[in-house]
Amino acid sequence: MITHKKDRIRKLRRKLSVRARCKKGTADYPRISVFRSLNHIYAQMIDDVQGITLASCSTVAIDLENGDKKHQAYQVGLTLAKLASQKGIARAFLDRGSARYTGRVASLTDGLRKGGLGI
């Protein structure tokens, strides 16, 4: 039980450290918040000034069943970049939360960059 508590504390510290370095998202330069669950990955573009979500995408929303999880995260990044370009957003910054920048989070970011979004 103690190790679970220590893991939760480490995860919270990492999340607060990342959020402290992040700026507030605006409509022109939104924050991309990433949540990674065991089976899915979720990403949304947030305008913190108005408190609204500009665009969102996940593996659940686009029904990806084939491929490994990194490939699915890459596809989510491409789709979110396409949604951002439709709304006239050219650049954003990543808020990875408590997730480390490896694996699925890095693949999602690669998909965003490949889709034409400046990160």
Side-chain angles (χ1 to χ4, degrees), residues 34-86:
V34 177
F35 175 73
R36 186 178 51 94
S37 72
L38 186 63
N39 295 320
H40 300 286
I41 191 160
Y42 306 85
Q44 60 181 350
M45 301 183 108
I46 302 169
D47 177 5
D48 289 319
V49 175
Q50 294 180 355
I52 57 171
T53 299
L54 302 173
S56 66
C57 188
S58 68
T59 54
V60 176
I62 57 176
D63 289 332
L64 291 174
E65 294 296 329
N66 55 353
D68 61 342
K69 292 179 186 177
K70 286 171 67 172
H71 177 70
Q72 291 177 356
Y74 183 80
Q75 293 298 321
V76 168
L78 285 174
T79 307
L80 188 62
K82 187 187 305 181
L83 290 172
S85 67
Q86 290 173 357

Side-chain angles (χ1 to χ4, degrees), residues 16-31:
L16 293 175
S17 173
V18 168
R19 293 269 164 89
R21 288 178 291 199
C22 285
K23 298 177 275 187
K24 295 278 187 182
T26 61
D28 297 332
Y29 192 54
R31 173 173 62 102

